[in-house]
Amino acid sequence: MTIATGPSARAVDGHPAAGPAHLAERREPLTLAAEMAERARRGHGGVLLLTGPAGTGRSALLTALVRAEEPHGTHTRWARCSEDETEEEYAVARQLFATEAHAHTTEADLWELLHLHTAHHPLLLAVDDIQLADAPSRRWLLRLARRTDRLPVLLAVTERRQRELPTRAPRFGHTLPTHLAQHCRIGALSASAVREVVHRRLGPGTPPGLAEDCARATGGNPLLLQALLTDLAEAPGPATGLPAHCAVLPVGAYVEAVERWLHSAGRGHAAAVRALATLQGHRLGHPDRLPDPPAALAELAAGAARADLDPECARAIDAYGEANPARLADLLAGLHRQGLLLTAEHGRWPRFAHPLLREAVLDGWGPAHPARVHHAAATALHGRGEPDELIAEHLLRTPGPTAPWAADTLLRAARTAQRAEHPEAAVGYLRRVLAERLADTARSSALTELGCLEISLGPAEHAAGVRHLTEAVRLHQSDERVFEVANALGAALAGQGDTPSALDILEQLAERFGDRPELAAAVQAAAALIASHDGDSWLHVVQGLRRISARSPHRLAPAAWSLLTEYEATNGRLSATEVAGRVKELTAAGHEPFSRAYVLASTATLAQWAERFTEADQLVAQGLAEHQGPLLHPARQSLLSVRAESLVMRGQYRRLLAELGLDGTELAEDEIGGPVLPVIGNSHLLAQGVIALTETGRLAAAHQLAQQVTRTSDSWEWNEYLYARGLLHLASGEPAAALEDLLECGRRQSERHVESPIVTPWRSAAADCHLLLGNPGPAAALATTELELARAWGTPRTIGRATRALGAATGGRRGLALAAEAVELLRTPEAEVELVPALLTHGRMLGDGGRRAAARQSLREAAERAELIGALRLRDLAVALLRESGARLTKDCHTGESALTDSERRICRLAAEGHSNADIATLLHLAVRTVETHLTNSFRKLGVRGRGELGAALG
């Protein structure tokens, strides 16, 4: 019969109470053993079978039984079976009767010894782990078992029985009649028993939850629980919880117990359990063709054997399960039953119930074994045709070189990670690729890709990125490849403030390319662009270009000429009209392929300054599409900067924030990792992001992003950042801090000979700060200077912006006239962003002059236009001024999709889908004229110029 375990044991018929963990919940077996021993003393013995999984305390229970019978005059004989003695005849029987090993022991000798021992006293024969007994001893003990009811003999036998474990011999006593043999199944402790044992061992101050953690780390297995409590009891100070790692356990009893538990189950079981621990949580394969974990474990063993990665581990798992998923399914089910393994997530290997248990399981394995398991898993997944990223997960944990296919798999996985905007994962795969056997060209390509990505992750990875790019340059490769990689290295060095080293590298390239004028010209352009990161270097390069231009303008390559044009434009030497003419010439001219990216980047910059935004967009799109080199190419960075600043100049804040990955409603500090755009560490891009967040009213997020920007020496990017931060302080009601940033921006720009307001119009913003601080005189002086420079440039944006600032600083009738003039100047599509603050200034001044109706009209227009472009900060300011003027605000939203009526929204969606006005009229049973009227009103509310923009405006 089978007896279930019960509550914690107390004194039973004079037997000692079960205090230790291995005797908790063992009252029924002890009671049954006492009854059977009493019958044996009266001459009617029997067989007591104590069975259960490894570590459940069978041996401890047998010891308790022996000790309980000693005071009753029962003679006890003890034998512990061992795997080492399975080949020796009658090894267990000789242990029982303490006889020496000799070649002539017979079964008759054993019967004679048994009768001698039972002649005067009852006998208790205790045999531990009978599954390991030699065959002759098992046969004799089984024959004895059939006669025990006529003898004063109690045969108490323990046997490890686990369905998932293979056995060499039949289970002991399975053919005995029930009146002879009583079977007690010893299982794991219940949760309540574990709680009782933990509190008894560690004391009343045991923190809540510790017992539950102990249960998860041991599955209620008494062997593991007792060892874990030994470690916790020896830890200094009171137990506050399970440690995170086995190394913290002071005695190491738990790790040793786990090792014994695994060893007792056999090598195959241990290897399979350790393979599970190695792979826990990893994906099994593609969702459409997921194998079950047992089949995957069998495939792992077969794959390991095929690849000859870890023959011992493969043989152990193979012998354990005979490559049979059914046997391995029993293993998983057994671990689940014992509470040691959690139910697996769909498509993943199951996890151990507690991380401490997993760590202890792997502790007995050398570091090479888990790597071999991962290698075998990668081999199996590759053979099955699984996705590259699944295979790469395992290759990352396998030292190279491995298989011929590994490098290609890792490279493909890295590119997939980049497309999915996971640069950290891509960096991990690329670093692992370098451990494979690669040709110099392939290694150089991987190093370049890796170095660029590392630089993009921010300052923490800069050093590694520069090191890998330097190694890529030194590898033997073509001139074209050297030029491309050196450009990336130069950009990386300049980005971290080491512009002189970057220029030294390019100078060496110029010497190397002396006989290749097309590459030499490209190096010249790269040097000029990189020099802009350092004020002194930039001016030195510009002076050289100006000397060459003065002697012979035609000697300047197009890229260098366009960069010199940038200098002259920002210095105030050229007007927008003159720059537009040069843009036209540069666009029409043909360019060498190596210099083309630089020409496009510089020409796009000039077109943007000249407010030729459509042309600038085309040049940026063309340059990004044509450029296939490293992400850190200086020209590529310049193209991305032009794109970002162009979006800000046109008030397309939401679009920019989306491209920078900053389009959430609010950003916590740890959520701001960098833009989705390829150059994650570009300070200029982040500065534009600060402006966009400021203008959309998300000041807290703007301040958080501003804190992420790091200074890069005397780079022009830092000047742009100071300007952006100044605007943020101004919008946050901190005019003093804003003025400090703006004046510092102006000082640094003047050192670089940047005077024109086309780049950073710091003077008009600083004038606003002075006004808020009560200093109209300095405000007017700054605005006057900016207006002079703006008129020299000649675009409505720059002139109107400076005129507005001067009007606000001047005040009175003259100031009001200037504000009105600014409004009229800025009524152009290109300057709509600057029109809103001009309307606000004009409206405020009209109100101050007592012209309240006109003021409200100007402020209402400002609110509507601000809402159209998403400038919520200015919209809120306009609304506040309207409320101060006593205006009635009948609608919260005058523009945007939410301002559309239901009819307008339906018509716009049909138009966005490509339907003509006649089609829409037919579908909605309306007149064509009605459709046209609705569309006209909708275009105004949405701020679009035609049907082609409806899709984006409607989201």
Side-chain angles (χ1 to χ4, degrees):
M1 71 177 189
T2 300
I3 296 183
T5 58
S8 299
R10 291 178 287 275
V12 180
D13 296 337
H15 299 166
H22 49 256
L23 294 182
E25 290 190 329
R26 301 300 186 247
R27 178 171 181 171
E28 283 83 353
L30 289 172
T31 301
L32 178 61
E35 293 172 354
M36 295 183 71
E38 180 61 31
R39 289 198 298 269
R41 286 192 289 272
R42 295 197 298 267
H44 304 288
V47 179
L48 177 62
L49 293 174
L50 303 174
T51 66
T56 51
R58 302 183 315 275
S59 300
L61 189 56
L62 189 61
T63 301
L65 169 61
V66 170
R67 291 177 179 172
E69 290 307 311
E70 288 175 350
H72 297 280
T74 301
H75 283 199
T76 59
R77 309 302 299 175
W78 187 281
R80 288 187 175 90
C81 305
S82 170
E83 196 170 3
D84 298 336
E85 298 177 336
T86 54
E87 302 302 323
E88 297 182 21
E89 289 194 354
Y90 295 111
V92 174
R94 289 197 304 272
Q95 276 193 66
L96 287 171
F97 298 112
T99 60
E100 296 294 331
H102 57 80
H104 305 292
T105 300
T106 65
E107 190 171 320
D109 297 333
L110 298 177
W111 287 113
E112 183 177 352
L113 289 170
L114 177 70
H115 288 301
L116 286 174
H117 279 83
T118 58
H120 304 288
H121 301 281
L123 185 62
L124 170 60
L125 297 180
V127 182
D128 198 14
D129 281 334
I130 199 169
Q131 77 277 359
L132 300 177
D134 60 280
S137 293
R138 283 178 61 89
R139 285 195 300 270
W140 181 76
L141 288 170
L142 192 56
R143 289 168 184 161
L144 169 62
R146 294 193 181 98
R147 305 177 188 179
T148 51
D149 60 339
R150 305 190 299 273
L151 295 170
V153 176
L154 174 59
L155 177 60
V157 173
T158 71
E159 185 175 32
R160 185 193 67 215
R161 287 190 185 178
Q162 290 176 247
R163 181 171 178 269
E164 64 271 17
L165 295 182
T167 55
R168 291 188 301 270
R171 294 179 176 179
F172 185 82
H174 71 286
T175 60
L176 293 176
T178 55
H179 73 277
L180 288 179
Q182 300 293 326
H183 179 199
C184 290
R185 174 75 178 178
I186 311 301
L189 302 179
S190 67
S192 59
V194 171
R195 193 179 308 111
E196 181 181 341
V197 171
V198 170
H199 284 273
R200 185 189 311 137
R201 183 70 183 276
L202 300 180
T206 304
L210 179 58
E212 286 71 18
D213 286 342
C214 290
R216 291 193 299 117
T218 63
N221 186 296
L223 169 69
L224 304 183
L225 178 60
Q226 189 71 13
L228 181 58
L229 293 177
T230 297
D231 278 318
L232 294 177
E234 294 296 326
T240 57
L242 286 187
H245 301 288
C246 291
V248 183
L249 299 173
V251 180
Y254 176 68
V255 174
E256 292 178 8
V258 172
E259 178 69 22
R260 285 174 52 201
W261 169 68
L262 287 171
H263 177 75
S264 65
R267 284 197 310 165
H269 181 278
V273 171
R274 282 171 168 152
L276 283 172
T278 300
L279 297 171
Q280 78 161 30
H282 283 275
R283 289 178 285 177
L284 287 165
H286 193 277
D288 295 337
R289 52 175 186 271
L290 284 174
D292 58 359
L297 193 57
E299 185 181 4
L300 173 67
R306 284 195 306 271
D308 196 28
L309 301 174
D310 186 2
E312 182 179 353
C313 174
R315 283 196 300 270
I317 298 177
D318 193 55
Y320 168 74
E322 299 174 353
N324 184 354
R327 177 64 60 80
L328 294 166
D330 287 342
L331 165 65
L332 295 176
L335 292 172
H336 279 293
R337 284 194 302 272
Q338 297 171 57
L340 300 175
L341 210 61
L342 301 176
T343 302
E345 300 175 31
H346 179 65
R348 293 184 181 271
W349 290 94
R351 292 181 176 274
F352 279 80
H354 197 280
L356 200 66
L357 175 60
R358 175 181 182 261
E359 188 174 325
V361 165
L362 291 174
D363 188 83
W365 244 9
H369 284 84
R372 289 167 178 166
V373 170
H374 282 294
H375 194 170
T379 301
L381 291 171
H382 178 263
R384 203 195 302 154
E386 296 292 351
D388 295 319
E389 56 269 26
L390 265 68
I391 305 170
E393 285 181 14
H394 297 284
L395 291 176
L396 287 177
R397 294 162 175 81
T398 306
T402 49
W405 46 263
D408 290 339
T409 299
L410 287 162
L411 286 171
R412 289 193 299 268
R415 281 150 197 164
T416 300
Q418 289 185 64
R419 287 193 297 271
E421 299 171 4
H422 297 144
E424 294 86 355
V427 164
Y429 297 144
L430 289 170
R431 287 174 176 172
R432 175 58 183 78
V433 165
L434 299 180
E436 297 297 325
R437 296 185 180 92
L438 301 172
D440 283 350
T441 301
R443 182 171 295 276
S444 171
S445 178
L447 284 166
T448 302
E449 196 172 347
L450 172 59
C452 292
L453 276 174
E454 286 171 329
I455 296 294
S456 75
L457 291 178
E461 298 291 345
H462 270 196
V466 169
R467 184 173 65 253
H468 286 132
L469 289 173
T470 303
E471 186 180 349
V473 171
R474 290 173 180 167
L475 284 175
H476 175 67
Q477 49 197 331
S478 65
D479 285 349
E480 291 80 358
R481 185 65 178 163
V482 169
F483 168 71
E484 187 178 77
V485 180
N487 266 350
L489 177 58
L493 289 170
Q496 66 180 22
D498 193 3
T499 305
S501 296
L503 294 176
D504 286 345
I505 291 173
L506 294 176
E507 186 177 347
Q508 295 172 21
L509 281 183
E511 295 176 0
R512 173 172 176 167
F513 301 147
D515 57 345
R516 300 195 60 178
E518 73 282 5
L519 280 173
V523 170
Q524 183 185 49
L529 198 54
I530 286 176
S532 66
H533 286 273
D534 176 78
D536 292 339
S537 300
W538 168 244
L539 293 177
H540 177 73
V541 168
V542 166
Q543 289 170 3
L545 294 176
R546 292 184 66 194
R547 284 194 297 269
I548 297 173
S549 176
R551 292 195 302 269
S552 177
H554 300 292
R555 287 185 56 194
L556 275 181
W561 186 45
S562 61
L563 288 170
L564 181 58
T565 302
E566 286 187 39
Y567 169 80
E568 292 176 340
T570 57
N571 186 244
R573 298 171 183 268
L574 296 175
S575 67
T577 303
E578 293 170 315
V579 167
R582 293 195 184 183
V583 167
K584 185 176 181 180
E585 293 178 25
L586 288 165
T587 304
H591 309 295
E592 294 290 344
F594 300 108
S595 301
R596 182 169 175 78
Y598 295 102
V599 177
L600 289 173
S602 184
T603 307
T605 302
L606 294 169
Q608 172 200 290
W609 290 345
E611 300 181 23
R612 303 169 71 93
F613 294 120
T614 301
E615 191 171 349
D617 287 344
Q618 293 171 350
L619 291 167
V620 169
Q622 186 178 355
L624 292 176
E626 292 180 2
H627 180 73
Q628 300 298 324
L631 301 179
L632 286 178
H633 194 288
R636 182 181 179 85
Q637 293 190 56
S638 181
L639 287 166
L640 293 172
S641 293
V642 172
R643 175 174 176 76
E645 192 163 355
S646 178
L647 291 174
V648 168
M649 292 175 69
R650 284 177 284 181
Q652 297 181 16
Y653 306 122
R654 283 175 290 192
R655 183 173 179 180
L656 174 63
L657 293 174
E659 294 186 7
L660 295 177
L662 302 173
D663 53 348
T665 56
E666 188 66 14
L667 300 177
E669 186 170 344
D670 59 350
E671 292 177 322
I672 304 176
V676 176
L677 291 171
V679 186
I680 294 181
N682 189 311
S683 298
H684 178 257
L685 288 179
L686 295 180
Q688 301 309 304
V690 170
I691 295 176
L693 288 171
T694 300
E695 295 307 316
T696 53
R698 296 162 57 192
L699 299 184
H703 280 288
Q704 290 173 347
L705 181 60
Q707 294 172 4
Q708 309 302 313
V709 182
T710 56
R711 179 170 180 175
T712 53
S713 187
D714 290 329
S715 171
W716 61 270
E717 294 179 357
W718 184 251
N719 301 349
E720 295 269 1
Y721 167 70
L722 287 172
Y723 175 71
R725 192 172 69 179
L727 296 182
L728 173 59
H729 283 308
L730 183 58
S732 303
E734 303 166 353
L739 183 60
E740 183 179 354
D741 276 345
L742 293 168
L743 292 178
E744 176 63 13
C745 170
R747 184 191 66 79
R748 291 169 54 85
Q749 291 287 55
S750 296
E751 288 181 350
R752 298 171 63 91
H753 299 177
V754 176
E755 301 296 341
S756 177
I758 59 176
V759 182
T760 49
W762 60 272
R763 293 180 181 86
S764 55
D768 291 337
C769 295
H770 274 301
L771 277 180
L772 290 173
L773 294 171
N775 304 317
L782 287 170
T784 300
T785 303
E786 180 165 317
L787 182 56
E788 293 174 358
L789 294 167
R791 285 172 174 160
W793 178 248
T795 60
R797 171 190 298 271
T798 54
I799 298 173
R801 180 173 50 215
T803 302
R804 179 210 64 81
L806 182 58
T810 303
R813 291 184 179 179
R814 171 62 178 158
L816 183 59
L818 288 170
E821 181 184 347
V823 169
E824 294 308 314
L825 282 168
L826 293 168
R827 288 191 183 280
T828 63
E830 293 78 13
E832 193 167 10
V833 170
E834 299 296 338
L835 177 57
V836 176
L839 286 166
L840 286 172
T841 299
H842 189 221
R844 183 187 292 114
M845 296 181 74
L846 285 169
D848 292 342
R851 299 168 61 183
R852 299 171 67 85
R856 290 170 185 170
Q857 183 179 354
S858 182
L859 293 173
R860 285 187 189 279
E861 183 182 359
E864 290 181 0
R865 290 184 176 276
E867 191 166 358
L868 276 173
I869 62 176
L872 302 184
R873 180 184 70 86
L874 295 177
R875 191 273 314 267
D876 293 344
L877 181 57
V879 170
L881 290 172
L882 280 169
R883 287 198 176 99
E884 289 178 10
S885 70
R888 292 181 58 191
L889 303 178
T890 57
K891 256 183 119 176
D892 290 335
C893 184
H894 302 275
T895 57
E897 184 180 0
S898 57
L900 299 176
T901 65
D902 291 341
S903 297
E904 289 170 346
R905 188 175 292 104
R906 282 194 297 270
I907 291 171
C908 285
R909 291 198 177 280
L910 289 171
E913 292 171 3
H915 295 284
S916 68
N917 290 356
D919 293 338
I920 298 171
T922 301
L923 289 170
L924 299 181
H925 306 289
L926 298 173
V928 175
R929 179 63 178 168
T930 303
V931 173
E932 293 173 351
T933 301
H934 279 309
L935 282 175
T936 301
N937 293 334
S938 300
F939 289 174
R940 177 182 56 78
K941 292 178 181 180
L942 294 173
V944 300
R945 297 189 180 94
R947 307 168 79 94
E949 300 177 24
L950 280 175
L954 294 172

